[in-house]
Amino acid sequence: MLAMRVQRIIFKVNMITKLPSVSKSLIGCLVFMGFTVGSYAQEVLLPPFGLQWGGGAETLKKWASDQQLKITERALSDKPRHTIIRVKSASGPLPDHKADALEARYHAGKLYEVSVHYGATTGDPKSIVNEFNNLKSLLAVKHGMFSPNNKQQNKVEGGISKSVSYHVEPVSGVVLLMVLSEFEDRVRETHYARFSLIYRNQNIIQMK
């Protein structure tokens, strides 16, 4: 049994080191978000930033306050007992992280979804797309292969809008969704790219 575990760890390390353009900063962000190379099986999908499924909003609010981040809280009129807390810095990414913003959703005061947004404060769409693909490969090592979820390309006024998403469900009712959005402005000859990681635990909403 121990030999099998060691072989799995070696396999995962090899996969990570062979990935193209995997920066130390990206690997550091994954460690901050809970990624450990030494894990040898698909793990329960935990929310990032040290949050806990079913936990209250006090943990996030305290961290954001300590970091002097902007906190926005709102209730959903069409969904009773649902609230959203969005955290972002006045400028630049979140402290010690490459993400631009964090959004947490609560039902009856219990955390059930966390979205981490990237790309709003950087201007190189090619590097953002590369980061998205590298991050997807790294997370697949931990949680299993992602399945295609949706792909769209639409002509809009002045340009083309594109989006693609993938998901993995390591545990029933607990899903990790990755969404990449791009916009090519043909008039201004500019190109934007952003992506999000969405951690969702549907089981929290179903709890009575």
Side-chain angles (χ1 to χ4, degrees):
M1 180 66 71
L2 179 59
M4 290 179 63
R5 291 179 181 178
V6 172
Q7 288 178 354
R8 288 171 180 167
I9 294 172
I10 294 173
F11 173 73
K12 291 186 174 185
V13 172
N14 288 337
M15 284 188 66
I16 291 174
T17 56
K18 289 179 181 178
L19 288 172
S21 305
V22 177
S23 65
K24 291 182 180 180
S25 60
L26 178 58
I27 294 176
C29 289
L30 288 171
V31 171
F32 183 73
M33 292 168 63
F35 183 97
T36 55
V37 174
S39 60
Y40 53 83
Q42 291 182 18
E43 300 180 7
V44 175
L45 182 65
L46 299 175
F49 289 87
L51 300 174
Q52 297 293 326
W53 294 129
E58 294 76 16
T59 302
L60 178 57
K61 289 181 178 180
K62 183 180 186 307
W63 173 77
S65 178
D66 291 344
Q67 298 294 330
Q68 297 183 335
L69 301 173
K70 181 180 179 181
I71 305 172
T72 304
E73 183 173 356
R74 63 187 179 91
L76 298 179
S77 58
D78 59 333
K79 292 183 178 181
R81 305 180 73 190
H82 285 255
T83 56
I84 300 176
I85 297 178
R86 184 179 178 87
V87 174
K88 62 178 299 184
S89 62
S91 62
L94 296 174
D96 301 319
H97 205 278
K98 298 186 75 173
D100 302 299
L102 170 69
E103 199 170 81
R105 293 178 177 244
Y106 297 83
H107 175 253
K110 297 181 178 180
L111 179 69
Y112 73 90
E113 182 177 299
V114 179
S115 300
V116 187
H117 305 294
Y118 297 79
T121 57
T122 55
D124 183 4
K126 186 175 293 186
S127 66
I128 293 171
V129 173
N130 287 338
E131 260 188 51
F132 174 84
N133 291 326
N134 287 335
L135 186 54
K136 182 164 70 71
S137 298
L138 286 168
L139 290 171
V141 174
K142 182 176 182 181
H143 298 298
M145 296 301 296
F146 283 78
S147 300
N149 201 53
N150 191 18
K151 186 175 183 180
Q152 294 184 355
Q153 178 169 314
N154 300 308
K155 289 185 178 181
V156 295
E157 185 177 356
I160 296 177
S161 174
K162 297 186 291 185
S163 67
V164 61
S165 62
Y166 303 86
H167 77 278
V168 62
E169 189 173 358
V171 179
S172 179
V174 185
V175 178
L176 174 57
L177 180 68
M178 298 190 68
V179 183
L180 172 66
S181 301
E182 296 180 75
F183 178 70
E184 296 180 20
D185 191 329
R186 299 293 178 84
V187 177
R188 299 175 180 83
E189 297 184 348
T190 54
H191 184 187
Y192 308 94
R194 298 181 181 182
F195 71 87
S196 300
L197 271 64
I198 304 171
Y199 301 73
R200 183 180 178 89
N201 189 340
Q202 187 67 26
N203 300 324
I204 299 297
I205 301 178
Q206 295 174 351
M207 292 174 59
K208 294 183 179 180

